[in-house]
Amino acid sequence: MGERAREGRRRGSRARSRAGTAAVTAVLCLAGLLFATSADTADGTDLRQEDEDLRAVVADESHRVAVLEERVSALRAGVEELSGDEVPGAGSAAADALAVASQTAPAAGEGLVVVLADAPRETSLAPGYALQDTVVHSQDVQAVVNALWQGGAEAMGVMDQRVIATTAVRCVGSTLRVQGRYYPPPYRIEAVGDPEELRAALESSAQVQLYRAAARDLGLVYDVSEDDLELPAYGGSLRMSYASVPPSA
């Protein structure tokens, strides 16, 4: 091998060595940055506890909302009691009927109870399904609620809350959000009304049938039973913040 060739190899070796050193340095710097970021984010705690901490925060906030709603209901009842003698028609049959129609009075009677819950963790996926199909979503609960209203439900409750026709349910992670409160599965929907008509409405709902098909194939819970129900009065606001009457009306 000639002198020029040996010198070329030496130069190539030095260049590769410098490149390797630079690459190692860059990797070490990046690793240090990641460790520093992780330590700053964790603030000395285990990042794996973040999910449990978030659930605790959600539970605390849900409890706070429940306490505030109870205060609002108590204050509203006090206002109604103080102003009842001055309001024309207060305590009349018409006023009572209006309270029932607006869901602001307790309701009792026969009806249906529908329970929805996730499939067992060890469930095997049937062809055509994905992992997300093994859990109950907000649209599944909303489909049952809509079908029961369509079936003539006089009053309805989701979990421990009375709901009205404009109540929406939303998924937040693995929990269900209803009027500011958060609930894990199983989800219980209660509807006061004629049981046969309510069952017929569930049977005729295309969205409910999609959930029932997934329940058969994946093991999700879909349980319907009759019961004598007692539902509390709706304690939320009836004001529609985003609705207005057109000028032409």
Side-chain angles (χ1 to χ4, degrees), residues 111-115 188-189 191 195 199 223-227 229:
L112 288 187
V113 178
V114 182
V115 178
R188 179 184 175 93
I189 304 106
R199 283 184 184 274
D223 181 72
V224 180
S225 60
E226 297 183 19
D227 200 357
L229 304 173

Side-chain angles (χ1 to χ4, degrees), residues 1 4 26 49 64 69 95 108 112 117 138 191 214 218 220 235 243:
M1 182 182 295
R4 291 185 178 179
Q49 299 297 322
R64 187 175 67 87
E69 287 180 349
L112 288 187
S138 59
L218 300 174
L220 290 98

Side-chain angles (χ1 to χ4, degrees), residues 85-212:
D85 294 337
E86 302 175 6
V87 177
S92 65
D96 293 341
L98 181 60
V100 172
S102 63
Q103 312 295 324
T104 56
E110 63 177 356
L112 288 187
V113 178
V114 182
V115 178
L116 310 180
D118 299 344
R121 290 182 178 273
E122 62 274 10
T123 296
S124 299
L125 290 179
Y129 289 99
L131 185 60
Q132 63 181 7
D133 298 321
T134 62
V135 299
V136 180
H137 295 279
S138 59
Q139 59 263 32
D140 301 320
V141 178
Q142 192 70 63
V144 171
V145 169
N146 291 343
L148 293 172
W149 283 128
Q150 188 68 30
E154 302 169 10
M156 196 177 309
V158 175
M159 302 303 283
D160 59 351
Q161 292 196 72
R162 178 77 170 271
V163 299
I164 59 176
T166 56
T167 299
V169 294
R170 296 285 184 267
C171 278
V172 180
S174 59
T175 61
L176 192 72
R177 183 179 185 272
V178 183
Q179 297 173 165
R181 301 187 197 178
Y182 297 83
Y183 304 94
Y187 305 120
R188 179 184 175 93
I189 304 106
E190 300 175 325
V192 174
D194 183 279
E196 293 185 5
E197 293 184 4
L198 295 176
R199 283 184 184 274
L202 291 172
E203 293 289 342
S204 62
S205 169
Q207 290 76 19
V208 174
Q209 295 312 308
L210 287 175
Y211 176 84
R212 292 185 65 181

Side-chain angles (χ1 to χ4, degrees), residues 55-90:
R55 291 183 181 180
V57 171
V58 168
D60 290 342
E61 289 302 307
S62 296
H63 176 70
R64 187 175 67 87
V65 169
V67 171
L68 292 175
E69 287 180 349
E70 290 178 0
R71 287 189 59 192
V72 169
S73 297
L75 291 172
R76 183 180 290 114
V79 170
E80 292 175 354
E81 182 180 354
L82 292 173
S83 61
D85 294 337
E86 302 175 6
V87 177

